[in-house]
Amino acid sequence: MPPTNVSIQVEQINPTTSRLSIQGDLSSTAENALMDAYSKASTTTTRVIILDFTRLSYMNSSGIGLLVTLLIRMNRQKQRMLCYGLNEHYRHIFTLTRLNDVITVHQTLEEALADAGH
Amino acid sequence: MQQSGHRGGPISIQNKNNTRTVRLSCGQRLRQIGRNIVFGIAWIMRGFVIIAAVVFLAGHAYIPLIFSLLLTAIIFALVRSRLVSFPLFLNRSLTYTILTSILAIVYFSGIAVYELFSQLFDTHPANNEIAVIIPTLITVALFQPLRQNLQQFIDKRFYRHTYNAEQVIASFSASIREEIDLNQISALLLNTIRDNLLPSSFELWLQETTTSLDTQGNLHLFVWQAPPPPPPPTTTTSLLYSQPEKTLPKHLISVSEDDPLLKMLLAEGTLLEALNFVPVSTLAQELQQSHLSNSMALISRGELVGLLTLGPRLSGQKYELYDQNLLSNLVAQAAPALRVAQVVREQQDQALAHERIEQELRTAQLIQRTLLPKELPHLPGCQITTYYQPAREVGGDFYDFHVLADGRLGIVIGDVADKGIPAALFMTTTCTMLRSVAKEIEPPGEVLAHVNELLYSNIPTGMFVTCFYAIFDLHKGELWYANAGHDLPYQQRKGQVHEIRATGMPLGLLPGMLYEEGCVTIHPGDTLLFYSDGLVEAHNSTRTMFGFPRLEQLLLREIEPAGLIEYLLKSLAAFTGEGWEQEDDVTLVTLHRNAEEQEQPPMLLAEWSLASVPGNEHTAMEQVAERVRPLGLTDERRDNLETAVAEAVMNAMEHGNHYQPEKLVTIQLFNTSETILVRIRDESTDTLVLPESTPDLNAKLAGQQTARGWGLFLIKSLVDELHIHPTPPAYIELLMYKQNQSSPP
């Protein structure tokens, strides 16, 4: 098993909103870390998950695949995914893949929280 | 009357009125003498009346009788010898008799009052001189104002016709003196006629233009409707000075210059009844249809300006001599004013039309220039040049380039069969359709067929579009094309010229059309010329056409590709000569493939290998980034290349080497003057097969596709060109242009 080069911090902002702060690479090696983090973040009352990409160093096609998998799980729970802190290159990739249609992209946490209804 | 108007020119007549004017002038002079005599007599008569009164009071009754007889004899002699106008004589006699009587009464009453005053107050008059001086002074002071008022009263009471006519003509003359607006003059004339003649209907039929005889010898007359009646007048003054209302042109009437009534109107210059001419005259029939019974020609300097037409009078009475004279006077003044106004209006209309055409031309040119590509696409190893010169009236030429995936280039050249703004607008539509269809469909013939269907349902009648559409694949060196009735492009190759042939109907003419496709190899050193008919259909002063053979001959000469367009334009200018007015848009597009392209292979900058271990794609990405940094890519484009390299390396490690650490992935970095090329190879001996399907996010979210499978899509999206060499030793190449160019769609 290749070494994991990612750490994900989970924070429950309130009963309906949680934040996953991703540090490092979002690639195939991040699968377990991401899914574990989501399991922690998601409760019966969670409606919104905010992904913090401010410390993301690399994301590849496998990382995009992981986000799609996570989205499928969240859709089943009727949860929304928001994100902030993406750099210009990854914003471009979100546009190319149309991920920005299903993950609302914000500049800052404040914007994301406002969108989440706070 | 002589009518000397030639076809297309104004009608010219010689009017009998000229002679009449001379005679009238003579009569006027005699009347002037007569008036002077009457004035003298009036003065004498007044003296007689005063003397008669004095003598009568003094008891010498025979003296006034003698004077009266003498006076009667002089007046009789004057009237008899026609030295004065009898009505005028009566008028003045009446005026001065009454005036003298009133003044005499005032004078004697003054004396009587003075006497009475003296007796009442028992004062003796100082002397008789005062009794005479005071009434005399009063009489002198009263004379002038009393005379004017009396004359006016008599004119109004007994000579109303003459009084009105003079006033009307004076007022009309003052109103139109400085007027040059056709509407205003027409309205003034019609208002004046309405107010003074009270016709049941009346219209002014004016010549459409100052030269409105058409080739059939017909005269076109514009009908100016009568203005609506004003509110009921309260005084004569308000009638005479009422403001003209706006008149509106109604419709056109065509009358032959040989129409009997028209001829008669021109010859007589008087008011004529149209009824008698109905069986033989179209003009009379037109008048009858409009319930107009009478007409009079408006003539200025022997040329017909128009016709004044009147219906019967509201009172049922006929138009009398007095009315006809009034009309003649009004028409004589209105005709030259109307002619001047017509000329002014024509010049204004011409200026407006000219300005409108110029504006339309500018708009059409702007539309066309806005749509044509502002920047030419960059194709490594190729030179593209374009030239576009719209004709004064834009002809609808267009060209366009579509940057397609894998470094291929779509080339469009076409021509909308129309001119001006409609052509420019439809050119926009066609270009937009071609762009959107070419994104969805690849084969050029199918693209044209699809656009033909779309255009057919939208195109205005009589309009169609010729268009040549091709896809140039630089790596294969092939041009894949189809043609919708456009002039065939030429391929210039080693001193020979070939037409690039394919058949197909122009777009928008018929539905369900099929378009033949063709494919030609474009070798290094070849030049393609795309052009519009503005070049080959240009004519010189002897009406000889430039033509295809001449163009082919020019292309056979060895011309530097970069200068080909300039050379063709110089040849065109030499052919047409100086002062040539361009008949149609001239559009030229050349594509030249450099001859030395294959002689200078890209320079290998670096080559290195990596073990097939997860995470090494990260290393590869960093190594490429470091080596590419000095080569001039923007940060954004370098990021794109790095991500694409990582994806390609990961793909090679996973699918080619199956993550066997001992198997290597080799990376080669090439540099040319225009591109950066990264070649990635694994150790697989199998043919490289890449997934065909494009990832669809919605399908993935719905569970219809796997969540993964984004790699190849990302590579294609992030680099300018992706070349795949599937046969072993298989490799893929990622190519980035050094110039700023948007990524392929």
Side-chain angles (χ1 to χ4, degrees), chain A residues 2 5 25 27 58-62 64-65 68-69 71-72 75 88-90 92-93 96-99 101-102, chain B residues 614 617-618 621 636 639-640 643 646-647 650 696-698 700-703 707-708 710-711 713-714 717-718 743:
Chain A
N5 193 20
D25 296 353
S27 62
Y58 169 63
M59 175 164 53
N60 63 12
S61 58
S62 303
I64 292 167
V68 175
T69 307
L71 270 168
I72 294 168
N75 283 350
E88 206 162 310
H89 178 57
Y90 290 116
H92 178 49
I93 286 178
L96 289 174
T97 55
R98 296 182 52 222
L99 271 177
D101 288 352
V102 286
Chain B
E617 76 273 14
H618 215 299
M621 187 172 78
E636 183 192 345
D639 284 346
N640 289 349
T643 301
E647 290 298 328
M650 198 165 69
D696 179 344
L697 184 59
N698 290 333
K700 287 179 186 296
L701 290 174
R708 297 187 58 189
W710 292 97
F713 171 78
L714 274 185
S717 305
L718 293 172
S743 300

Side-chain angles (χ1 to χ4, degrees), chain B residues 312-331:
Chain B
R313 299 185 80 167
L314 286 170
S315 61
Q317 290 177 329
K318 287 201 160 193
Y319 292 100
E320 295 166 11
L321 190 61
Y322 154 74
D323 303 314
Q324 299 208 15
N325 287 338
L326 177 64
L327 276 174
S328 291
N329 269 310
L330 290 174
V331 160

Side-chain angles (χ1 to χ4, degrees), chain B residues 1-20:
Chain B
M1 183 197 77
Q2 286 179 342
Q3 195 161 314
S4 61
H6 53 274
R7 285 184 193 282
I11 286 190
S12 232
I13 58 157
Q14 219 171 20
N15 200 316
K16 289 199 296 195
N17 283 352
N18 292 345
T19 348
R20 194 181 301 158

Side-chain angles (χ1 to χ4, degrees), chain B residues 343-609:
Chain B
V343 173
V344 168
R345 170 167 288 210
E346 271 176 38
Q347 285 185 343
Q348 286 171 342
D349 288 351
Q350 280 170 9
L352 276 175
H354 183 72
E355 175 54 33
R356 192 173 60 245
I357 290 166
E358 287 297 322
Q359 181 59 41
E360 281 186 11
L361 291 175
R362 284 196 293 273
T363 308
Q365 289 185 358
L366 188 68
I367 293 170
Q368 201 148 7
R369 285 196 185 279
T370 305
L371 190 81
L372 295 177
K374 302 211 171 22
E375 286 178 17
L376 297 177
H378 178 77
L379 213 53
C382 290
Q383 298 167 27
I384 295 173
T385 44
T386 60
Y387 173 84
Y388 166 70
Q389 180 61 50
R392 189 165 169 278
E393 192 179 1
V394 170
D397 275 13
F398 61 94
Y399 63 87
D400 200 6
F401 301 104
H402 307 158
V403 178
L404 304 172
D406 304 333
R408 292 175 307 155
L409 182 72
I411 302 166
V412 174
I413 184 159
D415 185 4
V416 178
D418 203 345
K419 288 186 183 298
I421 292 179
L425 289 175
F426 218 75
M427 183 195 81
T428 317
T429 310
T430 309
C431 276
T432 311
M433 282 178 180
L434 275 163
R435 267 187 176 271
S436 58
V437 172
K439 275 185 188 169
E440 305 295 325
I441 302 172
E442 196 167 52
E446 288 180 30
V447 169
L448 291 182
H450 201 85
V451 171
N452 180 53
E453 297 305 314
L454 292 171
L455 281 179
Y456 179 73
S457 48
N458 291 298
I459 204 159
T461 313
M463 202 186 272
F464 59 87
V465 183
T466 67
C467 178
F468 187 93
Y469 174 61
I471 297 174
F472 178 54
D473 188 330
L474 178 63
H475 297 286
K476 290 183 185 166
E478 284 176 356
L479 188 80
W480 186 17
Y481 63 89
N483 187 14
H486 196 75
D487 290 330
L488 300 176
Y490 286 107
Q491 181 181 14
Q492 210 185 24
R493 172 168 170 69
K494 290 185 175 174
Q496 291 188 313
V497 177
H498 308 279
E499 281 179 341
I500 301 179
R501 287 190 162 274
T503 55
M505 287 288 280
L507 304 173
L509 270 182
L510 292 165
M513 288 292 101
L514 295 177
Y515 293 89
E516 184 189 2
E517 286 179 5
C519 188
V520 289
T521 304
I522 310 300
H523 302 275
D526 287 3
T527 303
L528 300 176
L529 173 71
F530 306 88
Y531 58 95
S532 65
D533 53 9
L535 172 69
V536 286
E537 291 178 13
H539 292 85
N540 64 9
S541 55
T542 61
R543 300 303 298 161
T544 309
M545 203 165 79
F546 191 82
F548 297 99
R550 192 184 310 272
L551 179 58
E552 284 173 23
Q553 284 300 314
L554 291 171
L555 291 174
L556 282 172
R557 297 177 196 174
E558 286 195 11
I559 307 297
E560 186 62 29
L564 179 61
I565 285 181
E566 195 184 341
Y567 173 71
L568 291 175
L569 292 173
K570 276 185 180 166
S571 305
L572 177 65
F575 170 76
T576 54
E578 280 184 16
W580 175 60
E581 187 175 347
Q582 193 182 324
E583 298 147 86
D584 201 352
D585 299 355
V586 174
T587 306
L588 303 169
V589 176
T590 66
L591 189 155
H592 174 72
R593 188 172 175 192
N594 292 342
E596 65 273 18
E597 185 191 353
Q598 290 181 331
E599 294 161 12
Q600 288 186 348
M603 187 173 75
L604 181 64
L605 270 190
E607 179 175 338
W608 70 99
S609 298

